[in-house]
């Protein structure tokens, strides 16, 4: 113990001497906040680590597109008793999962990989953001587009959602929040929709003097009938999970998020048993 205390006192003494020498020496204009000079630093290794941490963000503020893309769409392959089920999770919390160019590209890439994967039995589309399924197209990004870009963006959204609809396995939309415009069109492209009672759904494009452009005008009438579909599209009315269940917009309705998870679990088991013998 005495030796340890003596060593600590010696270390403190050396540190004071180094600090005093640093204070007495004239400042250098070429001083660099890089970790390469950490071994000779008068502030010791801990300060060198801090300096290195401070220097790295300045050199790497531009984040790679792969990291950003990975965050916006999470692809999970389940295992054990849920093997064969793939969950695609929308994850743009800052934009309410609005569909932008990058997210559409990621969705298209994921769907393209899934359609040729013979091990996939079911695909579930869900949100990683509480209270939001998908708010539709990213209007902030669209506002910055040249008029010539808008048409190609809408065509890409329509093509991506059509690719989802054409997947050779059952697809489920877990709507545990708001699904508006393109978000509802995404859900309508799925074979089965499970909505929480708190969910809000609607094709609201007519409020912006435009019409749904990603298949909603075709799939909604097929789901709930032409007359009611016209009423909802013309009025841009938003309905909740209970109302949508009554009109069959959502095939299944769950009381809340927790019960929605239970319902999805049951649905997974049902689909696995129904399709387990198909190649």
């Amino acid at each position: 113990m005495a030796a340890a205390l003596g060593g600590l006192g010696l270390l403190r003494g050396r540190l004071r001497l180094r600090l005093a020498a640093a204070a007495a020496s004239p400042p250098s204009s070429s001083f660099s906040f890089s970790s390469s000079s950490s071994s000779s630093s008068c502030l010791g290794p801990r300060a060198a680590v801090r300096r290195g941490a401070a220097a790295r963000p300045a050199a790497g503020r531009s984040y790679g597109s792969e990291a950003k893309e990975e965050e916006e769409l999470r692809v999970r392959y389940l295992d054990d008793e849920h093997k064969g089920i793939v969950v695609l999770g929308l994850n743009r919390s800052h934009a309410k999962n609005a569909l932008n160019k990058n997210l559409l590209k990621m969705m298209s890439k994921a769907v393209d990989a899934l359609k040729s994967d013979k091990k996939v039995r079911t695909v579930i589309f869900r949100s990683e953001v509480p209270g939001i399924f998908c708010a539709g197209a990213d209007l902030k990004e669209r506002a910055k587009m040249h008029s010539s870009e808008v048409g190609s963006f809408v065509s890409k959204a329509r093509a991506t959602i059509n690719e989802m609809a054409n997947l050779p396995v059952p697809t489920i939309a877990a709507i545990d929040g708001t699904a508006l415009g393109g978000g509802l069109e995404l859900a309508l492209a799925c074979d089965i929709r499970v909505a929480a009672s708190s969910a809000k759904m609607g094709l609201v494009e007519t409020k912006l003097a435009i019409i749904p452009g990603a298949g909603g005008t075709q799939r909604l009438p097929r789901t709930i009938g032409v007359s009611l579909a016209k009423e909802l599209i013309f009025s841009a009315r938003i309905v909740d999970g209970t109302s949508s269940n009554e009109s069959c917009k959502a095939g299944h309705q769950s009381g809340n998020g927790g019960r929605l998870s239970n319902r999805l679990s049951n649905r997974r088991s049902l689909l696995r048993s129904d399709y387990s013998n198909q190649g």
Side-chain angles (χ1 to χ4, degrees), residues 121-136:
R121 299 292 183 181
T122 307
V123 178
I124 297 175
F125 292 90
R126 60 157 294 173
S127 169
E128 303 288 337
V129 182
I132 294 290
F133 179 72
C134 176

Side-chain angles (χ1 to χ4, degrees), residues 12-24 39-45:
R12 287 176 177 172
R14 288 178 178 174
L15 181 59
R16 289 194 190 98
L17 290 174
R18 290 187 179 185
L19 288 172
S39 60
S40 60
S41 169
C42 64
L43 299 181

